[in-house]
Amino acid sequence: MIEREVETGGPDGFIEDVESDAAIAADEVQGAALYGPDGAKVGHIHKLMIDKRSGQVRYAIVTDAGILGIGNYLPVSWSRFKFDENLHGYVSDVTAEIIAERGRDTAEHGDLQIW
């Protein structure tokens, strides 16, 4: 675990320790593999949706779509995901059947219900 000090508040700001292996860039999460509770790959994370005010991830849109983007898209609460070091991806209680049954054929999130 690599730690480093980061200045967070300008010239009079405070210093905090940051674990560099505990954070990940959002663009690295998008496209990450998604595994179901049984460890079988069920799709991937298409997009992260971040709360504008808190800066916290609210939900992820997951998909079983392939290269052409044809498939199902389902918004899933971020609290349902856990990163698995061994799989190098995220594990959730979402199954391929849930994505197929509850997903939509578009990634537009305007009227989707978060699962």
Side-chain angles (χ1 to χ4, degrees), residues 12 31-32 36-37 40 42 49 54 68 70 75 77 80-85 88 102 108 111 115:
D12 298 324
V42 297
M49 302 306 293
S54 72
L68 299 176
I70 300 170
S77 174
R80 292 180 176 265
F81 294 88
K82 180 182 174 201
F83 185 74
D84 186 298
E85 298 275 342
H88 302 288
R102 298 186 182 193
E108 296 302 318
D111 64 344
W115 189 76

Side-chain angles (χ1 to χ4, degrees), residues 13 20 52 63 84 96 113-114:
S20 61
K52 292 180 198 179
T63 184
D84 186 298
Q113 297 294 315
I114 299 172

Side-chain angles (χ1 to χ4, degrees), residues 20-100:
S20 61
D21 63 341
I24 188 169
D27 63 343
E28 291 181 36
V29 176
Q30 292 180 185
L34 176 64
Y35 298 91
D38 62 354
K41 185 173 178 184
V42 297
H44 66 273
I45 296 174
H46 173 70
K47 190 182 293 187
L48 293 179
M49 302 306 293
I50 300 171
D51 186 286
K52 292 180 198 179
R53 291 175 184 85
S54 72
Q56 301 296 311
V57 176
R58 289 195 55 213
Y59 62 96
I61 298 178
V62 301
T63 184
D64 58 3
I67 294 172
L68 299 176
I70 300 170
N72 299 293
Y73 296 85
L74 179 69
V76 178
S77 174
W78 190 245
S79 64
R80 292 180 176 265
F81 294 88
K82 180 182 174 201
F83 185 74
D84 186 298
E85 298 275 342
N86 295 322
L87 294 172
H88 302 288
Y90 290 84
V91 176
S92 178
D93 58 350
V94 175
T95 63
E97 293 77 24
I98 290 171
I99 295 173

